[in-house]
Amino acid sequence: MPQPRFELPPQYDPRAVERRLYQRWLDRGVFTARTESSREPYVIVMPPPNITAILHTGQGLNVVIQDVLIRFERMRGREAEWLPGTDHAGIATQNVVERLVAKEGKTRFDLGRERFVERVWAFVRETGNTILEQLKVIGSSCDWSRTRFTLDDAYSRAVREVFVRLWEEGLIYRGHRVIHWCPHCLTALSDEEAESKDTDGKLYYIRYPVQGGPTPFLTVATTRPETLLGDTAVAVNPKDVRHAGFVGNVARLPIADLPIPIVADEAVDPTFGTGFVKVTPAHDATDFDIGLRHKLETPLVMTEDGRMEHPTRVPPSLAGLDRFDARVQIVDLLKELGLLEKVEPHRHAVRHCYRCDTVVEPRLSDQWFVKMTPLATPVLAAYRDDRFQIAPERWRATFEHWMENIRDWNISRQLWWGHRIPVFTCARCGEQWADRADPTQCRTCGGPVVHDPDVLDTWFSSWLWPFATFGWPERTADLARFYPGHTLVTAPEILFFWVARMLMSGYHFMEGRLPFTTVYLHGTVRDTQHRKMSKSLGNGIDPLDVVRLYGADALRWTLIAGSSLGADVILDPGDLETTFAPGRNFANKLWNIGRFILAQLPERVQPLDALDAQHLPLVDRWILSRAQGAVREATASLEQFRLDEAAKRCFDFVWKELADWYVEAVKPRLAPNSASGDAASVAAAQAVLTYCFDVALRLLHPVVPFITEELWQKLPGRTADELLAVAQWPVALDAWGDAAAEVQFALVQDAIAAMRNLRAEYRVSPKARVGAVLTSKTREAQRAFEGERETIVRLAQLQVLRFDGRRAADTGAYAVLADGSEVFVALSDAIDVQQECRRLSGELTRLDQQLAGLIGKLANQQFVARAPAEVVAKEREKERAWRDQRQGLADKLRSLGCS
RNA sequence: GGGCGAAUAGCUCAGCGGUUCAGAGCGCCUGCCUUACACGCAGGAAGUCGGGGGUUCGAAUCCCUCUUCGCCCACCA
């Protein structure tokens, strides 16, 4: 008896291998792309997580998809560059540190700008790389040698260069307008950063006294009564005949007790509310526009942190009140004054800060904007020209609509953590310019300069990620090699924040070369109630918990196999076992297939091309052909970003085909002292097993890299320094495709299944060996059955298998196969003629029904005339086979003497 | 107010260039510790493919409509 080459435990333990293998990959530098390589590059830049983030399942999904793609292309021989890094995340990070400072009873203003920023840096240095370390735990094959941070010196130079260039091109301007303001974060936000949420609010109908109008009062409707203190007009639609008489009159603003004009303006929707609109130019974007048209004052009646304040308009009783408290007070006051007509429930969209969820306050201020139309236009054209694709395609309309209606981008943030806006203003002559360096005096008059205090929107740095990470604006070798990239994998939430802007910056600054060819938008990870997983809901799953309990491969398997292109992934945080056990079980299955195969193999195994197909048993030709199919289909699926399809195809090949059929069929050949185990046959079986398992491991490696690497290295002929991570992706070998073998072996499987079914039906003990007779319908079937006689005997647990059709002496059970071949299993002890009659007539009835339908179809002239000839021929063939089956069943029934 | 997506076995999902497509995993039922694996093996039950209408020889699969969820966009305060 040969000594097994390995002693492996029967259960796969991920903890024993993952850390070691990851280190091995790192040590061998297989994730590091070589600038000087002559291979065709394949580049993915990772969406940089926030520097303070810890890994959550959504990022897990994002990262695993990228890892599958990058590992696939790496094995296909591309110079694979997956660039990782982190984002300084201005608002989010500043908020985190402000909370820390608050615990010491201080604010950032107590520390001052310089010390506060230093404090943030210290925090970032201390905790900043947590998430990158976590990415390693789940197997991410990133090029860590090129890790970037959006506040690195080199990266900051790129940001500044971009700002200055845009300034010089006249695409950056100072805008005086109503923007989204977060009273908690104390900064302006872009349109994208102010998320609208449908909210149940109230619509307040408020009476304003009118001097000399048609009626003593007019009534406005508003959802934000507190802003009335900032009203400078009441407006009606010029076409609104109901209210035409009011235009030109003066209303009396309640509480503030000021006269305000009544004006006519197109922006008013006469069908909403009463048709009268209060106009608050400093706290509403539409009202600001109305104000411009009518030359209205623009008083701000709130502080930056959302408290009521104005020297004349806000009465002392309300001054300093939070806007929502003020709302209550003002409504009470109006009630007392008899000016509150009614209050209605009203559902409407309310903007919230995407970082702290505070209700955003529209606020008039001065901010820096980027003109977006010139940047968006060529990208939109390129998209329509198919120069890049968004997968899934259904995002097209959304993307195009946004690009067509793009609005200028507010890029200034009133924060301290971030890239300082490089705009300088002369205190003496007022000269203002953007500078690549920090000037000490005015470039025209030599006067003292003031540096703009604000920082740039975080996204103003991350939109440069595909080229700033490779050294732009320097003309580096890396930039030449790895720009443009190929696939961008991300969640749809940041399509506008990030993806669209990267396309624009790439086009604009890289001579019209777009940063990638495919944008892959994956789904969102949700719980079983379809709620997004989030910290605040407490419905998250910690990927590291999953790794600890089930292994990284199990996590990856569930995420990949569980999500088709762009679809959401539903996971059950309350039942990790159900959610992740399938992946763990699959890994364990692979492990045990490997354990069995490895135990059968000698030091040297013949290569596939040493085998002669002519002399191989049917089952060998079958599995080799199936292997080619698996290679072809898995590869095609990966190329189409159908990672789930690829994973499932490999799963079926290795479990349903290789393990359940081939391994079981081949066991007797491999058994020591087996009659059928002649040397050539054993060697062939070993070669086939080795080849098929090798192929399976390669195909599965992108999805489950750890267990496949671990097993692959143990295959015969592997040298110590070979790694699956950089092994060659399999190619389908036409020579081993064998359609006939697939058809023939399917008959064998059919026969075995029928026998097993009959045994189970009659409760024959699995240990009992029975006799069986197979009567072939066709010569092809006969060859298949005879060739795989031993397989049938073994897998159907037979005592004896005859093909001669003589079975007169035995009682037993019958079945007819799809091709009309007949199966008889001798069950003299167990058989119950009554039961058999019932069973067979049931079969017959079912078959008759099917047949009747089919005959009807073929009798239909329309079908025969209009359906493709192929289809009709197929149906005719089917009819013939079913008639044969029917005949067989009828014969059995007669021979059993059933009534 | 627009636009998009989803509704298929108890659960999570494939299938959607029309004609063995009614599937997988989990769960369930019956047997099995068959010397790779009980995280396993063999067998089985289970869905009028959300409702209605239409096109067609033929529809989970195309068209229309309704219902229920979810998402995105939008200056009706």
Side-chain angles (χ1 to χ4, degrees), chain A residues 12 21 25 553 590 696-713 724:
Chain A
Y12 172 59
L21 285 180
W25 290 327
D553 288 331
L590 269 180
L697 292 177
R698 288 174 200 249
L699 294 179
L700 280 163
H701 183 258
V703 182
V704 282
F706 291 106
I707 184 149
T708 49
E709 181 77 80
E710 178 71 1
L711 288 168
W712 191 80
Q713 290 179 4
L724 177 56

Side-chain angles (χ1 to χ4, degrees), chain A residues 51-52 86 88 93 97 100 114-133 149 151-153 417:
Chain A
I51 184 76
T52 60
T86 45
H88 68 280
T93 307
V97 177
L100 289 178
E114 212 168 301
R115 281 175 58 205
F116 179 77
V117 169
E118 191 37 59
R119 183 72 187 269
V120 182
W121 269 112
F123 177 76
V124 160
R125 272 191 288 267
E126 190 185 327
T127 63
N129 283 324
T130 307
I131 190 156
L132 298 183
E133 291 306 312
F149 177 47
L151 274 179
D152 286 342
D153 287 345
W417 175 244

Side-chain angles (χ1 to χ4, degrees), chain A residues 673-692:
Chain A
N673 311 321
S674 156
S676 57
D678 66 277
S681 173
V682 171
Q686 289 170 340
V688 172
L689 277 176
T690 305
Y691 168 79
C692 287

